[in-house]
Amino acid sequence: MRRTLKLIASVFLASILNGCVQKEVLDDITLIEGIGFDYIDSKNILGTIVIPVYLPKQAPKNITFSAKAEIKKSMLQDIQRQTADPLVTGSLAVVLFSKTLTEKVGILPLVDPFQRDPGVGSGLYLAVVDGETKELLGGNYGIRGNATYISNLMNHNIKNEDLPQTNLQWFLADFYQEGKTPFIPQIKQIGKDKLKITGISLLKYGKMVDFIEAEDMFFFKLLVDKYSEGLHRVKIESGEAAVRSIRSSHNFELTKRNPMEITIHIKVDGIINEFTGQELTPKNIQELKQQFSKDIQKESLKLVQRFIGKQIDPIGIGHYVKTQTRNFDFNNWRENQYKDIVVKIKPDVKISESGVIE
Amino acid sequence: MFNFFKNSEKESLDKILAKSADFKCLEYYNNKSNISFTLKFLATLVDEKTIQDSVLPYLLEGNFKQIEDVKQIVPLPDIKLSEDISQIEDMIFNGSVLLTVNGKDNKFCFLGAKKEIGRNISLPEVEFSVIGPKESFVESLDQNLNLIRKRIPVKELVIEKKTVGTLSKTKVAILYIDGITNTENVNTVRQRIEGIEFDEITDSSYIVQIISDNQNSPFPQLLDTERPDRISAILAEGKVAIFVDGSPHALIGPTTLVEFFSSFEDYYLNWILSSFFRLIRLFAVVFSILVTPVYVATLSYHYELIPQDLMSTLVASRRAIPFPPILEALFLELTIELLREAGARLPTKVGQTIGIVGGIVIGTASVEAGLTSNILLIFIALAALASFTTPVYRIGNTIRLLRFPFLLFAEVWGLLGIIVCFCFLLTHLIRLTSLGRPYLEPLYPPRMQDLKDAFIRLSFDKQRKRPFLLNTKEPYRFPKKAKKEKKDIEDE
């Protein structure tokens, strides 16, 4: 009897704790799916959020709210005054920054709140917008809402094309990793209902310092990411071929110390998607292979030289050298060693398939 | 024994019996041997045709001089001479005819002429299986025991009989195989059945509840079955079976939780198939218990967990609903429970109609009226369907009940609450025993060797060992196969 009483009492006492958990019933909250930040002046920004309004058997309607503010949280408070239900960040999918803002102010103070919010997933995509984010978020893309459209766009380009792996987690990891420069993709609105990934922005201390064009993204991905999948056109005398990389890996090797010399081995497994020439003979394939290797070497080296010239390091050479060196001094590295480093690229290309019908 | 009737000692048996209309006391006279005798019996219990055909002609015309002659002249198998007056009451109520020779009251004879009214063996209705035998137990104890004796024709099969219930005097049979079953288990059953103090035991369900280790548990601690094949199989495993007169369900003990999810058809299918079906059934049970609580928890607390693609479907279906998820879920769960109760109480034909009316009309109407979301309706219907896959009806009821505490905990603390409730459930299950043996075995205590016939069922050649749980006297079911040795080249 006493035991039963104790049980009942404990259940009742436990139910008092009910108030300790905050209830967020799905239909009584406003889900923010995307946030955009635009530049107003050196102290103020314009924040825009996009929320989907789900309608039965229809594509969700995108509604945007904007507010001028100093930092992100106060911007949300301002928007809070415009919405019927409390705003929650739990299903946030993308955060966009306008190009002007990234160049002039930097995105660090704006990203900070997201890494502290437990509701925000680390798979959140960050991106720079060529133009105004307010305008971009105001468009109507796809059938699943704007933010989902943007995040799907990035997701599939990372998986199947030449956009390197990127999200909040990767951004922060790169940012906190000394000897590595973070990068995020750049998108642009090219019509009322169309978007495009235009390239990759490189951010030094949160500010955009360089931009990689879409044509170079294939080589950039070879340098920074594993399992690069992308398409590259190779020209030889007898025609032009489209080679799709199906698997790739890159390895660093510290070949010399004084002066520093780094060799980057790039392994690519490719298949030939199309060929414009007459016939694809084994000889042609051999030529294609060599040409592809040459292209990789030339273009990658060009990229690396450009990074060294701009004193940025998205490939993480500094980080790699640090792992190989005792008592590594980053100041010395940044000021002296990185400038004079010699980088060699050694591509290893394999063409594993050239079509079913020979 | 506790004497129920305070005044029964004061009045004589004849006087009390004479109050009943079916008591007959008939006097006869045998002309040949000049002897008068009396037959006393209860007409409702005795087959009067037997008296007319096989008793009276021989007593009236035969050479009947004294009571001892009855055995020679009456062609009945069950004739008992006695001088013990205390037996009379018992025998009369068991359908015997009391024969006394007038003037010599101290010696008498019982003639067995029991009237058997019962139904024939029919198809199993609760545990139907497509493959396998189609007979099931009936209410008559003797008929049921006959079914078992036929399946295990060995002298080691022991049938002990007990009588329980001060009013009902129900006959209970304890079955086990001597030399296999652990005597400890048999003793426990015997002791508990002897200890039953209740007036009217009408069914084996009474016995389950009275002799279970923990009467305050929603979990049944003895398995009940209506299939003779199941009983004979578990007897061979080393378990104890309990039969109750008047009940078509026999009891099995000790049992484990997992056994409630094994259908006997599992043994008739190939082990790969039956293992797969068992896993599906277990999944169905977990699904059935958890799906609504998880729905409520996610929608009230953890919207972050909902995939983006599902969001639009979920939110759009809930937009117009005026209730919080918990009320919505409780409303639908209660509707389903009502339907089930109504379906179970009504006659079969009306019951079917109720199912259709309830399922289709109420479901569609409540969605159209905007009272519930159609997604939850699908979940609840699936959960109800999943709970019907349990092969033992009794555990299905337990699962019905379990959903509600989970639902309340989910409402109070979200997913954390579901975990808390699960911890309560697990603690309870770990403490539970069946005839003193752990109920959660082979999960806890972990017994690897008993896993061969728990969540999956391995092939029969892997089933050499009897369950470790039962601690049987003879641990092996068949001799070990001799290893095939390769012939040496020189031997050839």
Side-chain angles (χ1 to χ4, degrees), chain B residues 233-279:
Chain B
I234 62 95
L235 283 174
E237 260 185 355
K239 289 182 181 168
V240 185
I242 305 164
F243 282 80
V244 180
D245 195 20
S247 164
H249 286 264
L251 307 174
I252 298 170
T255 183
T256 59
L257 181 62
V258 191
E259 205 178 352
F260 283 92
F261 302 111
S262 80
S263 138
F264 203 71
E265 203 175 5
D266 288 353
Y267 296 91
Y268 297 141
L269 291 173
N270 172 290
W271 71 273
I272 301 176
L273 299 176
S274 56
S275 300
F276 176 66
F277 295 142
R278 263 193 199 180
L279 289 176

Side-chain angles (χ1 to χ4, degrees), chain A residues 35-40 46 48 96-103 127-138 141 185-190 195-196 198 201 208 211:
Chain A
I35 301 186
F37 296 104
D38 288 315
Y39 181 76
I40 295 182
L46 181 75
T48 308
L96 307 174
F97 308 94
S98 79
K99 202 172 167 185
T100 350
L101 181 78
T102 331
E103 278 167 350
V128 173
V129 170
D130 192 1
E132 293 289 294
T133 62
K134 189 180 174 186
E135 221 170 281
L136 187 140
L137 288 175
Y141 319 102
Q186 195 175 97
I187 53 175
K188 191 180 178 184
Q189 188 178 25
I190 53 167
L195 289 172
K196 190 184 171 187
T198 50
S201 309
M208 183 169 155
F211 175 69

Side-chain angles (χ1 to χ4, degrees), chain A residues 32-37 45 47-49 71-73 75-76 88-97 107-127 167-169 171-172 176:
Chain A
I32 306 178
E33 291 212 319
I35 301 186
F37 296 104
I45 50 160
T48 308
I49 62 163
I71 49 168
K72 176 221 159 198
K73 277 289 174 193
M75 178 277 278
L76 278 190
V88 291
T89 50
S91 62
L92 194 58
V94 282
V95 177
L96 307 174
F97 308 94
I107 66 168
L108 283 186
L110 298 169
V111 172
D112 187 75
F114 296 116
Q115 59 167 314
R116 295 181 203 292
D117 189 343
V120 173
S122 56
L124 176 72
Y125 287 115
L126 305 176
N167 56 34
L168 181 65
Q169 168 111 34
F171 174 82
L172 291 171
Y176 286 114

Side-chain angles (χ1 to χ4, degrees), chain A residues 319-336:
Chain A
H319 164 60
Y320 171 74
V321 175
K322 188 203 134 196
T323 63
Q324 303 294 313
T325 316
R326 207 173 279 256
N327 299 328
F328 185 74
D329 181 10
F330 265 116
N331 284 331
N332 185 26
W333 167 258
R334 271 192 291 267
E335 280 155 24
N336 310 315

Side-chain angles (χ1 to χ4, degrees), chain B residues 28-40:
Chain B
Y28 294 94
Y29 184 73
N30 185 326
N31 285 326
K32 271 186 181 174
S33 48
N34 270 343
I35 191 169
S36 79
F37 56 92
T38 316
L39 294 180
K40 290 179 186 171

